[in-house]
Amino acid sequence: MADDSIAVVDLDRCQPDRCNYECANYCPPNRTGKECIVRREERFGEETPYAGGPQQIHISEEVCLGETCGICVEKCPFDAIEIINLPTELEDDPAHRYGENAFALYGLPIPQAGEVTGILGPNGIGKTTAVRALTGAVVPNLGVLDAPVGWDDVIDAYRGTELQPYLAALADEAVSIAQKPQYVDQIPREYDGTAADLLASTDERGALEGYIDRLGLAPVLETTVDRLSGGELQRVALAATLARDREFYFLDEISPYLDIGQRVTAARLIDELATETDAAILVVEHDLALLDLLADRLHIGYGRPGAFGVITPPKSTRAGINEYLKGYLSTENMRIRPTAITFEEHAPRESVMGAPLVDYAAMAKSYDGSGFSLQVEPGQIHAGEVLGVVGPNGIGKSTFAKLITGEIAPDSGEVEQSVPLAYKPQYIEADTPIRVESLLQSISTAVGTSIWQTEIGDPLQLDRLLDRMVTDLSGGERQRVAIAGCLSTEAQLYVLDEPSAHLDVEQRIQATTAIRRFAENNDKSVLVIDHDIYMIDLLADRLVVFDGEPAVRGHAAPPQSMRAGMNEFLEQLAITFRRDERTSRPRINKPDSQLDRTQKAAGEYYYAVE
């Protein structure tokens, strides 16, 4: 194979007990007597280091003809093989490779003292691998698989680069590190005390009290972590990480479960930490508006998820995000997506006003245990429209969704609807060991048909998940399956609570496109609750805006136009947005900047064009 190609075998999908080794039997080099595709026991012996088993296959990258052949890829009945031509611009060896025919990562991000460095890219592209290398959890092997690689080798490979001093300090254990986990909902499995107990040992800079106040954690300090909501867990994890006195902070996805106001507060706290302590902060984030506000510079990750990933040199944040949305990296001369992601130039669009589908009167709902009460003003959901729901956490948005679906009954008022409903809740449980395909087929007989594949399967990238067990899926994979399950249900109104959680930027756009096109092509209505401004901006026709006092009382206004609704919502948060002049994407104005003050004075929180 050419030096710029790699072969990847997905051992979770390679099932030799269910095939006849079509890949090896049809391989042209094999048929001429060469050993290109062999069983792993033949390559590694009976003590094969691969957990998949010795009967699975190994592909010799030296003998393979490369992507131009591709016969094994086509013949494999389980889509377990990828033969990939790497970008010709990749001249360096991998920073790390997990083994022969396994994932390879090219390039590493560069932490910079006193700055916030962002990483933007799809899931499965190697961001976590890069972070493990920078935290010392793994020594990058430089793609060398037949000999041990030590830190001296790594430092020598990066000699003369911006990364060398950091790697040298890391090798000498002279770098102190704080790390916030990606999936905060796993914290209760590791810790069973109260939030106060968890935070008590982290106050290494005397800053914890300020974080508790600004992140609104005082009301939950005496609550055990297993009773905290996702948003509360995220804020506790963030406070615990930022309160430590370290030289390098790694924050993996700070936006899930946080509302827009909380995201902006988190961004300000992180920026202050970098400025005041001269710490290096590395953030992996999928909320583009938040990343735009937060990062001083940006690395783009691209490649083939699960096969190879490339981390680019740092770019300016604005240029990096715009290039990512455009799908073309100018410095690298690399197209990473066939089409650009575009936003409407003039917000808002005219709302779709079909016949009323759901008519709800003024409603009230209260909870005796928590003391929370919700007041809902009357409104309608029209046929064929996408109705967005925005508001702070703990304000009753999920309660509103449950009232609309009939999952709970109001104390007063009623919902008039006789149409079938489908509902995706905010938190997704996956305790039953069942294959994804079997789960979806239990919901709809249309699963696997060409229409289902076009409208749901392909946009949500489900093909490689169908054979997996639901219990083995990551948070983002589980979210995509849950969205697919909801849209696969035969209904007239589809209610989706936080569909963006744990999805990367690409997946959010694809999910948004799938939801929007599904509604338009099938004349369906959608009610979507989310905190991602980009998703709401691309998706919604009208808005329901919530206000009140979190965890105490909530109020839902009637549905209104996008402009009126977003202006009302953003004024509550004292946040203004502008549109990027090149891509029309939403951008948060820097607090108290000239444009921020001008828009507030004019009452135009949504949007001004740069």
Side-chain angles (χ1 to χ4, degrees), residues 212-479:
I212 289 173
D213 176 55
R214 294 175 67 180
L215 290 169
L217 292 173
V220 302
L221 287 178
E222 298 308 317
T223 305
T224 57
V225 294
D226 62 329
R227 298 186 63 188
L228 296 178
S229 69
E232 291 163 348
L233 281 170
Q234 188 70 269
R235 286 177 282 147
V236 166
L238 187 61
T241 306
L242 300 185
R244 297 191 179 278
D245 186 13
R246 305 298 166 91
E247 296 165 286
F248 175 44
Y249 296 80
F250 169 62
L251 307 172
D252 198 345
E253 291 193 35
I254 60 176
S255 65
Y257 309 120
L258 297 188
D259 62 44
I260 298 172
Q262 293 166 341
R263 295 179 186 194
V264 172
T265 297
R268 291 171 180 169
L269 293 176
I270 294 166
D271 179 67
E272 290 170 8
L273 176 64
T275 302
E276 295 170 4
T277 69
D278 204 36
I281 302 177
L282 187 64
V283 178
V284 172
E285 182 52 59
H286 297 304
D287 184 325
L288 292 180
L290 177 61
L291 195 59
D292 189 22
L293 178 67
L294 177 65
D296 296 301
R297 57 185 195 160
L298 188 67
H299 293 273
I300 301 296
Y302 69 93
R304 189 86 63 88
F308 81 98
V310 182
I311 304 295
T312 69
K315 303 172 179 285
S316 72
T317 301
R318 179 184 179 185
I321 292 177
N322 283 352
E323 287 183 14
Y324 186 83
L325 292 174
K326 188 177 180 180
Y328 176 74
L329 306 181
S330 57
T331 303
E332 292 76 13
N333 190 27
M334 173 59 56
R335 177 153 295 284
I336 61 173
R337 191 187 313 106
T339 58
I341 297 169
T342 58
F343 295 83
E344 293 192 16
E345 291 197 12
H346 302 290
R349 63 185 143 262
E350 293 298 322
S351 59
V352 177
M353 297 295 287
L357 189 69
V358 176
D359 200 334
Y360 56 91
M363 295 185 288
K365 179 66 180 180
S366 61
Y367 295 91
D368 295 334
S370 64
F372 177 78
S373 63
L374 172 65
Q375 299 291 325
V376 179
E377 295 191 39
Q380 294 177 328
I381 302 174
H382 297 276
E385 80 167 331
V386 178
L387 182 63
V389 178
V390 295
N393 277 331
I395 209 77
K397 301 187 302 298
S398 293
T399 297
F400 174 69
K402 292 176 182 178
L403 289 170
I404 294 296
T405 61
E407 186 166 318
I408 61 175
D411 299 331
S412 63
E414 62 179 357
V415 177
E416 294 183 6
Q417 59 90 5
S418 57
V419 297
L421 302 168
Y423 176 46
K424 186 204 80 68
Q426 178 181 12
Y427 300 109
I428 303 165
E429 301 295 333
D431 299 326
T432 304
I434 183 175
R435 287 174 60 247
V436 170
E437 186 172 26
S438 299
L439 173 66
L440 295 176
Q441 286 176 340
S442 71
I443 296 170
S444 172
T445 57
V447 172
T449 63
S450 59
I451 295 178
W452 182 90
Q453 197 67 36
T454 300
E455 293 192 342
I456 299 174
D458 289 342
L460 294 174
Q461 299 175 311
L462 296 179
D463 275 356
R464 300 186 70 84
L465 300 181
L466 295 177
D467 286 333
R468 302 266 302 279
M469 301 298 289
V470 174
T471 49
D472 294 335
L473 300 179
S474 68
E477 291 168 340
R478 197 174 298 173
Q479 185 72 260

Side-chain angles (χ1 to χ4, degrees), residues 18-303:
R18 296 177 58 193
C19 76
N20 295 311
Y21 290 101
E22 288 89 347
C23 57
N25 294 335
Y26 285 93
C27 172
N30 275 26
R31 299 182 75 169
T32 62
K34 298 178 181 179
E35 292 187 343
C36 180
I37 301 180
V38 298
R39 300 184 187 185
R40 288 186 175 268
E41 62 181 356
E42 299 172 13
R43 173 69 173 86
F44 300 104
E46 291 294 341
E47 299 300 323
T48 172
Y50 294 87
Q55 297 299 319
Q56 293 178 305
I57 64 149
H58 169 268
I59 301 176
S60 170
E61 293 181 345
E62 291 75 21
V63 179
C64 179
L65 300 178
E67 191 173 351
T68 53
C69 170
I71 291 177
C72 58
V73 177
E74 294 296 328
K75 292 297 183 181
C76 177
F78 306 109
D79 296 323
I81 301 173
E82 289 188 87
I83 308 296
I84 302 164
N85 288 340
L86 296 174
T88 56
E89 290 76 9
L90 280 182
E91 298 178 353
D92 297 331
D93 293 325
H96 189 73
R97 193 168 189 187
Y98 281 99
E100 296 194 54
N101 300 160
F103 179 84
L105 173 66
Y106 294 81
L108 290 173
I110 306 169
Q112 189 74 30
E115 292 190 356
V116 180
T117 302
I119 306 179
L120 171 62
N123 289 330
I125 212 70
K127 300 187 298 295
T128 299
T129 298
V131 170
R132 293 187 69 213
L134 294 183
T135 58
V138 62
V139 179
N141 61 20
L142 308 176
V144 177
L145 304 177
D146 55 0
V149 174
W151 279 114
D152 288 342
D153 301 304
V154 176
I155 294 168
D156 187 60
Y158 285 90
R159 193 171 303 281
T161 70
E162 287 186 81
L163 198 54
Q164 181 195 349
Y166 177 84
L167 293 174
L170 183 64
D172 292 337
E173 298 183 354
V175 178
S176 56
I177 298 169
Q179 188 169 350
K180 187 198 80 66
Q182 178 181 14
Y183 297 116
V184 295
D185 51 355
Q186 303 298 314
I187 292 176
R189 298 185 181 183
E190 307 293 331
Y191 190 85
D192 58 4
T194 65
D197 294 335
L198 189 153
L199 291 169
S201 62
T202 67
D203 193 16
E204 298 173 355
R205 298 187 299 108
L208 182 61
E209 186 175 341
Y211 290 141
I212 289 173
D213 176 55
R214 294 175 67 180
L215 290 169
L217 292 173
V220 302
L221 287 178
E222 298 308 317
T223 305
T224 57
V225 294
D226 62 329
R227 298 186 63 188
L228 296 178
S229 69
E232 291 163 348
L233 281 170
Q234 188 70 269
R235 286 177 282 147
V236 166
L238 187 61
T241 306
L242 300 185
R244 297 191 179 278
D245 186 13
R246 305 298 166 91
E247 296 165 286
F248 175 44
Y249 296 80
F250 169 62
L251 307 172
D252 198 345
E253 291 193 35
I254 60 176
S255 65
Y257 309 120
L258 297 188
D259 62 44
I260 298 172
Q262 293 166 341
R263 295 179 186 194
V264 172
T265 297
R268 291 171 180 169
L269 293 176
I270 294 166
D271 179 67
E272 290 170 8
L273 176 64
T275 302
E276 295 170 4
T277 69
D278 204 36
I281 302 177
L282 187 64
V283 178
V284 172
E285 182 52 59
H286 297 304
D287 184 325
L288 292 180
L290 177 61
L291 195 59
D292 189 22
L293 178 67
L294 177 65
D296 296 301
R297 57 185 195 160
L298 188 67
H299 293 273
I300 301 296
Y302 69 93

